[in-house]
Amino acid sequence: MRHRTLAVVAGLLASGLLGGTVAVGDAQAADAKTVQFFKQTCGICHGENGQGIPGLAPALKGNAFVTDGDPKEIEATITKGRQGNQKRYKEFASPMPAHSIGGSSLKALVEYLRGDLQK
């Protein structure tokens, strides 16, 4: 019975129905939860496709901080936000708010920002 349960869980993981990422060729495609979180949380200010919103927030697509920056620094920006002198883009009046996300969900979001969002 245990082997059957493991086989079912493995099948769900492989199909993407149990979270995580789904292999597409050699690349990893972001899972639906990560994309939904991005669109509902990050996309409000940074645009649904990461294109940025003039006067509100910078583009994440094509952004060197996102594509080439230290993933830990990106994680810290997401979870701690930036305001005042800590802001990277001082031309935007609004601060970057902190978001409650961590663990594997945070890592998946950073991977999405650096990967699929950039396509």
Side-chain angles (χ1 to χ4, degrees):
M1 185 66 157
R2 179 178 171 187
H3 295 291
R4 185 174 174 177
T5 302
L6 290 175
V8 169
V9 170
L12 289 172
L13 282 170
S15 70
L17 295 175
L18 200 60
T21 56
V22 180
V24 177
D26 291 330
Q28 294 286 316
D31 69 277
K33 288 181 188 176
T34 300
V35 174
Q36 181 181 12
F37 179 87
F38 175 82
K39 288 183 178 188
Q40 292 178 343
T41 306
C42 313
I44 293 170
C45 295
H46 293 283
E48 189 173 294
N49 298 309
Q51 74 276 13
I53 297 178
L56 182 60
L60 299 176
K61 191 170 191 168
N63 184 313
F65 173 69
V66 175
T67 60
D68 304 327
D70 179 355
K72 293 291 183 195
E73 191 173 344
I74 298 168
E75 289 178 4
T77 299
I78 294 167
T79 58
K80 296 177 182 167
R82 289 184 186 260
Q83 56 185 313
N85 290 334
Q86 295 177 336
K87 286 175 57 175
R88 183 171 295 277
Y89 300 96
K90 296 184 181 10
E91 67 272 21
F92 295 102
S94 299
M96 165 70 187
H99 295 285
S100 297
I101 183 173
S104 61
S105 296
L106 178 59
K107 291 195 182 317
L109 178 60
V110 172
E111 287 175 13
Y112 173 71
L113 293 173
R114 295 169 61 104
D116 287 354
L117 182 70
Q118 300 303 319
K119 295 177 185 173

